[in-house]
Amino acid sequence: MTAYEAELVVGRRDLAADGVLALTLRHPLGERLPAWEPGAHIDVLLGPGLERQYSLCGDPADRHAWRIAVLREPDGRGGSAYVHEQLEEGGKVRVRGPRNHFALHSSPRYRFIAGGIGITPLLPMLAAAEAAGAEWTLLYGGRTRDSMAFTEELRRYGDRVAVAPQDETGLLDLGSVLDDVPEGTLVYCCGPGPLLDAVEARCPSGALHVERFQPKVRETGENTAFEVVLERSGRTVTVAPDVSVLDAVRAAGVEVLYSCTEGTCGTCETDVLDGTPDHRDSVLTDEEREAGETMLICVSRCRGKRLVLDL
């Protein structure tokens, strides 16, 4: 499995809101960047052990620039602090991707819900829905108005966008957009875990598409040992109870792409040729988990004694 990887130049740094930095990335030689669609993200390789995923929030038609926005998290693991403090205009950063597990599906009607920095993957979705002539609304919440990025950019959509800072309006009124939703409407939501949980609790799963920044807490069974057959490599490895499939495969000398190791980015998604995965990720849909055709090997395991993977 291969993916585009290159060192890009920071063309611009813009303060999108209090604590939110927008970066425009370009190829140093002016080369075109890979095409992408709304919902895509890239891996930003900030240093050894410091790799983060950020949604592309610019214009997919602009093949010479990628825009991301990074929220500074004082209690984070160092990635956002590095971006805010070290990546200056003209500086270089290595990136990989793009990758999309939050694709915008065609529909005549949409309801978009964003919480905080969760607005980023939705920005190009709004533009695509508008260009397609779809009926849509956006409910956008945040701690304060000043902390909410891209509100000026959203003004062009008029009253289809409802900006609701918590210190002014309280918690988001989800009923205003999720009650009495016409059949065929798709709901897209991105933001903090409690918001996504609340939306999931009142929205039909077939209509709902979410993207999580943190892994969803799932009840899982006991970890047991099992075998993984690597079909293309001709090897069989044993996965111990306290070892992930990803780590077992890498220890056997098979290189695979991976990033978050938490089941949220989708980088390590692997085709399953035989066996039943025990899905523990926060990326695949219920339908994809039921089908069992792929799995995220950084967190998911086996419901049985043997898996055959396309590795």
Side-chain angles (χ1 to χ4, degrees):
M1 184 186 300
T2 60
Y4 176 83
E5 186 172 322
E7 193 171 60
L8 302 185
V9 174
V10 179
R12 286 188 58 179
R13 281 170 50 105
D14 299 297
L15 192 63
D18 285 350
V20 179
L21 186 66
L23 301 178
T24 300
L25 307 175
R26 301 181 182 275
H27 193 280
L29 301 179
E31 295 180 5
R32 283 160 61 91
L33 301 174
W36 61 279
E37 295 182 349
H41 69 260
I42 58 172
D43 303 327
V44 181
L45 287 59
L46 301 169
L50 201 60
E51 183 173 322
R52 299 292 182 266
Q53 291 74 45
Y54 297 113
S55 297
L56 292 171
C57 58
D59 180 2
D62 185 354
R63 294 290 301 278
H64 291 91
W66 281 348
R67 185 177 70 167
I68 61 174
V70 181
L71 169 67
R72 174 139 195 182
E73 300 182 76
D75 299 323
R77 295 176 295 165
S80 66
Y82 184 97
V83 171
H84 278 250
E85 297 171 7
Q86 304 295 327
L87 288 187
E88 300 291 344
E89 288 189 7
K92 294 183 178 180
V93 63
R94 195 152 197 87
V95 304
R96 183 173 57 225
R99 187 174 297 105
N100 198 341
H101 286 277
F102 192 42
L104 181 69
H105 298 281
S106 178
S107 175
R109 289 174 297 277
Y110 299 96
R111 299 293 181 266
F112 297 103
I113 304 171
I117 197 63
I119 189 63
T120 51
L122 301 187
L123 287 176
M125 293 188 182
L126 304 182
E130 181 77 357
E135 172 197 325
W136 65 268
T137 62
L138 166 67
L139 178 61
Y140 177 21
R143 292 181 294 102
T144 66
R145 191 174 296 272
D146 289 343
S147 73
M148 299 171 67
F150 305 112
T151 52
E152 288 298 319
E153 194 169 306
L154 292 169
R155 287 184 183 276
R156 63 189 175 112
Y157 296 122
D159 59 7
R160 275 169 296 176
V161 173
V163 174
Q166 186 174 348
D167 65 337
E168 298 177 21
T169 64
L171 296 177
L172 287 181
D173 180 8
L174 296 179
S176 67
V177 293
L178 295 180
D179 291 349
D180 301 320
V181 175
E183 186 176 350
T185 301
L186 296 184
V187 178
Y188 280 79
C189 180
C190 186
L195 171 63
L196 301 188
D197 293 342
V199 172
E200 287 181 337
R202 63 190 306 161
C203 187
S205 60
L208 179 61
H209 301 266
V210 303
E211 183 171 57
R212 290 182 177 269
F213 298 136
Q214 300 294 331
K216 182 177 182 179
V217 177
R218 298 183 182 278
E219 290 189 13
T220 59
E222 181 183 356
N223 285 1
T224 58
F226 56 94
E227 285 191 341
V228 172
V229 178
L230 310 180
E231 183 73 13
R232 285 190 281 123
S233 302
R235 302 183 187 183
T236 299
V237 300
T238 298
V239 181
D242 59 345
V243 174
S244 69
V245 176
L246 172 64
D247 287 342
V249 168
R250 295 184 67 237
V254 177
E255 288 299 316
V256 293
L257 286 178
Y258 68 97
S259 182
C260 73
T261 69
E262 295 181 328
T264 58
C265 75
T267 304
C268 68
E269 185 175 2
T270 302
D271 288 340
V272 178
L273 304 180
D274 193 29
T276 304
D278 177 7
H279 295 291
R280 304 184 182 186
D281 66 277
S282 302
V283 173
L284 299 180
T285 64
D286 290 342
E287 292 77 11
E288 289 169 333
R289 293 191 181 94
E290 182 67 25
E293 296 176 353
T294 68
M295 66 182 288
L296 271 64
I297 62 173
C298 67
V299 292
S300 297
R301 300 184 67 81
C302 177
R303 294 187 183 275
K305 297 295 185 181
R306 181 175 178 270
L307 282 174
V308 181
L309 301 181
D310 187 21
L311 291 172

